Amino acid sequence: MKLKYSVLLVTLIATTANLFAQKTYRQIYSDPSEVQSGYLSLHYFGVDAGFNNLSGASILSVGAETLYPITDKLKAEGLFLYSLFSLEKTSFPFLFNAGAEFTLSSKTKSTTVPVLLAFSYERNYLEGKDINTYTTVKLRGDITSELNVRGGLYLRNSAFEYEENFTFYEVTNIFHKGIYAGLGYTRKLFMHIQDSDGYTFAYARNFRPFVDVLVLPTSVDVNSGGNTQTVEETLGWRAGMTWQLNPMTQNQNFDRKIGFFGNLLYRLEFGQRPLEGFYVTTGLAWTIKKFK
């Protein structure tokens, strides 16, 4: 009888331990130089709006964005967005940046990083809540951090509506033309991870925040009731980032295909543009080509 209860107790403990056992993960390879830091991405959803000039706001823009490594330290960058839907349209509404960035310093160190294992979204219609669930694990890995100088050409064409002392002027055209110059920071990592079941997969990120001065001498003639005046402004600024998901190839991912959502590029910038005040530019892009 005692033997019977002992067997039952051991079985119960083993079963309970199995139910509550958690899968474990370990990093088996880490090298940030493996990151495909260059890309060509197609923007399929973009917004660009100056808060003091809502008439010139672009609600839906499409276009392309690229970062192309010329050498290990020099990269060319470009962004083009065309507005499919603006609150007011005058001529050809677009945003265009073309420039370069040069790496001043680079440092690689081992640190603990959160690795995203899973993400789920659920909408509770009864309670009117959105529920986002993330599953992450912290692992040691090598991260390369780069400090960059950057600069280039900045062009933007849109509609413009001016108001002064409760006088509203007619909608006209505004064209920003000038340069941007500033600092950028790159943080990239690449690793192979293996779980306790023996399954191996790749994990990588390429995160690029930046801050720029905008030198955009802008002059606009505005009209109200036959009265015309010229408004001018020159300087602005912006801060932002691009976040590239899965900057790796199918071959680096153990020949597993990287799906549409795995090839997303997210861009966000905000700042102040001459005559438009505070503005926000944001967009989602799909990466169709990666460069090393």
Side-chain angles (χ1 to χ4, degrees), residues 59-75:
I59 306 303
L60 176 60
S61 296
V62 296
E65 181 170 353
T66 188
L67 181 70
Y68 185 78
I70 300 173
T71 67
D72 289 341
K73 291 190 173 184
L74 181 64
K75 297 182 179 69

Side-chain angles (χ1 to χ4, degrees), residues 176-195:
H176 292 102
K177 182 172 97 171
I179 61 172
Y180 67 90
L183 294 174
Y185 182 75
T186 302
R187 185 176 172 88
K188 55 188 179 181
L189 67 97
F190 177 91
M191 63 175 66
H192 287 163
I193 301 169
Q194 187 177 65
D195 66 21

Side-chain angles (χ1 to χ4, degrees), residues 9-177:
L9 181 61
V10 171
T11 303
L12 178 63
I13 293 173
T15 303
T16 303
N18 184 63
L19 287 174
F20 288 95
Q22 292 186 347
K23 188 177 294 186
T24 59
Y25 299 85
R26 65 188 183 97
Q27 177 259 110
I28 59 174
Y29 176 75
S30 181
D31 185 0
S33 68
E34 295 279 352
V35 169
Q36 304 284 312
S37 57
Y39 52 80
L40 173 62
S41 302
L42 300 181
H43 274 274
Y44 61 91
F45 176 77
V47 175
D48 182 26
F51 283 33
N52 288 347
N53 180 33
L54 293 181
S55 293
S58 171
I59 306 303
L60 176 60
S61 296
V62 296
E65 181 170 353
T66 188
L67 181 70
Y68 185 78
I70 300 173
T71 67
D72 289 341
K73 291 190 173 184
L74 181 64
K75 297 182 179 69
E77 67 168 359
L79 170 69
F80 175 77
L81 294 176
Y82 172 74
S83 178
L84 292 178
F85 178 71
S86 301
L87 294 186
E88 293 281 353
K89 271 193 176 183
T90 61
S91 67
F92 188 80
F94 74 93
L95 171 67
F96 177 72
N97 292 181
E101 67 176 34
F102 182 80
T103 301
L104 293 176
S105 64
S106 178
K107 180 172 67 175
T108 300
K109 69 176 183 178
S110 178
T111 186
T112 300
V113 296
V115 176
L116 179 65
L117 300 177
F119 168 77
S120 65
Y121 169 82
E122 182 181 353
R123 175 69 175 173
N124 189 326
Y125 291 96
L126 295 178
E127 298 182 8
K129 294 181 180 179
D130 295 326
I131 302 173
N132 297 320
T133 304
Y134 300 86
T135 302
T136 62
V137 62
K138 291 185 177 180
L139 298 173
R140 297 291 294 185
D142 295 329
I143 292 184
T144 295
S145 301
E146 299 173 347
L147 178 64
N148 311 306
V149 290
R150 42 185 275 119
L153 177 68
Y154 188 104
L155 303 175
R156 183 177 184 271
N157 191 57
S158 65
F160 180 64
E161 184 176 22
Y162 184 67
E163 180 268 332
E164 184 180 46
N165 298 326
F166 301 103
T167 300
F168 289 87
Y169 292 78
E170 296 175 8
V171 175
T172 184
N173 191 75
I174 186 171
F175 184 50
H176 292 102
K177 182 172 97 171

